[in-house]
């Protein structure tokens, strides 16, 4: 593990820190070795913002499982883990599942992490589910969309960003990372927010239309 990674891991922010466990350390090293710095830092911030949200809401959650969900949530954008036909969220969830199965984690807990990752771009549902599922999405929404931004103190926001910096042009950088990770399978964006990314970046992209699918199905009437 690099010195910079060790220093970041030791960040204690309003009582929240990355779990000091064998599993968490191995997750950190694996993600650090596999993802870009942009995605690694983003995923780390997702963990902190998710955990801080859980603390503020009085939710009980397993920090290791939340960390696993946060750190793997964008793994499907990495070419080596990107399938030809599945949504990138599912690819990330599958990568997390494979990793956790190699670390003697229960299938119940693996399913929680899988679901948290698979649903992290599906607004309106995760907040009613298990805290691990809800908080991965909450962390993503805070770091990418700025949802609930004002509920975090300036000191907490600044501390998280100091530990895991945002790039100068993070908004555009993360949009480009999304596009680069999904442009080879545009059909997987049907009915989800990533269709907006393709529409923004590719003038030739044509969205799938739910109404057209119904009207053009093989059913009569």
């Amino acid at each position: 593990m690099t010195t910079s990674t060790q220093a970041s891991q030791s960040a204690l922010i309003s009582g929240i820190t990355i779990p000091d466990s064998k599993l968490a350390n191995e997750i950190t090293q694996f993600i650090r070795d596999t993802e870009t710095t942009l995605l690694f830092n983003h995923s780390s911030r997702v963990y902190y913002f998710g955990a801080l949200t859980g603390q503020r809401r009085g939710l009980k959650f397993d920090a290791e499982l939340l960390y696993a969900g946060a750190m793997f949530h964008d793994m499907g954008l990495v070419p080596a883990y990107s399938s030809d036909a599945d949504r990138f969220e599912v690819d990330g969830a599958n990568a997390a599942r494979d990793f956790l199965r190699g670390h003697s984690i229960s299938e119940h807990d693996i399913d929680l992490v899988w679901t948290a990752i698979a649903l992290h771009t599906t607004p309106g549902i995760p907040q009613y589910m298990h805290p691990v599922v809800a908080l991965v999405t909450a962390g993503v929404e805070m770091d990418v969309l700025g949802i609930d931004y004002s509920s975090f103190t300036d000191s907490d926001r600044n501390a998280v960003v100091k530990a895991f910096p945002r790039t100068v042009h993070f908004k555009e950088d993360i949009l480009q990372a999304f596009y680069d990770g999904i442009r080879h399978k545009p059909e997987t964006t049907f009915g989800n927010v990533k269709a907006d990314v393709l529409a923004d970046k590719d003038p030739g992209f044509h969205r799938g239309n739910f109404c057209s699918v119904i009207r053009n199905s093989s059913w009569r009437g």
Side-chain angles (χ1 to χ4, degrees):
M1 185 179 299
T2 65
T3 301
S4 60
T5 300
Q6 288 175 326
S8 294
Q9 275 197 290
S10 66
L12 178 64
I13 303 171
S14 291
I16 300 296
T17 190
I18 294 171
D20 184 17
S21 66
K22 182 175 184 293
L23 175 62
N25 288 334
E26 291 186 7
I27 289 173
T28 299
Q29 194 61 53
F30 181 76
I31 301 300
R32 177 39 116 185
D33 291 344
T34 306
E35 291 188 348
T36 63
T37 299
L38 174 79
L39 292 179
F40 175 83
N41 284 347
H42 160 57
S43 296
S44 300
R45 294 192 305 270
V46 165
Y47 167 74
Y48 272 96
F49 288 135
L52 288 166
T53 298
Q55 180 189 73
R56 187 175 68 249
R57 295 178 183 175
L59 299 177
K60 294 182 178 180
F61 59 92
D62 185 308
E64 279 190 325
L65 298 183
L66 178 60
Y67 189 63
M71 296 309 289
F72 274 92
H73 85 276
D74 272 344
M75 184 61 81
L77 298 175
V78 177
Y81 291 88
S82 179
S83 68
D84 291 332
D86 286 331
R87 286 175 56 161
F88 93 94
E89 301 94 331
V90 171
D91 290 337
N94 288 343
R97 180 173 60 194
D98 292 343
F99 183 92
L100 294 175
R101 280 179 173 167
H103 289 75
S104 301
I105 307 301
S106 74
E107 285 298 313
H108 174 270
D109 288 347
I110 291 172
D111 285 345
L112 278 179
V113 173
W114 193 98
T115 302
I117 297 170
L119 291 181
H120 82 267
T121 61
T122 306
I125 295 175
Q127 66 261 38
Y128 298 106
M129 300 180 71
H130 188 280
V132 169
V133 179
L135 295 177
V136 168
T137 292
V140 171
E141 290 179 340
M142 168 57 180
D143 197 54
V144 176
L145 301 167
I147 292 176
D148 218 21
Y149 184 91
S150 62
S151 295
F152 295 84
T153 66
D154 290 342
S155 61
D156 282 351
R157 285 195 303 267
N158 292 338
V160 172
V161 172
K162 181 179 180 181
F164 300 97
R166 291 169 68 94
T167 57
V168 175
H169 303 292
F170 175 75
K171 294 177 182 179
E172 294 303 322
D173 291 342
I174 196 66
L175 285 172
Q176 188 64 46
F178 292 154
Y179 177 65
D180 290 342
I182 62 176
R183 61 181 173 180
H184 67 290
K185 47 181 180 180
E187 68 284 352
T188 65
T189 67
F190 174 68
N192 70 75
V193 298
K194 288 302 183 285
D196 292 341
V197 176
L198 292 182
D200 182 82
K201 298 289 184 181
D202 182 1
F205 172 67
H206 296 287
R207 295 172 183 269
N209 185 284
F210 179 68
C211 297
S212 296
V213 172
I214 293 174
R215 289 174 176 140
N216 294 327
S217 78
S218 297
W219 287 103
R220 298 178 61 187

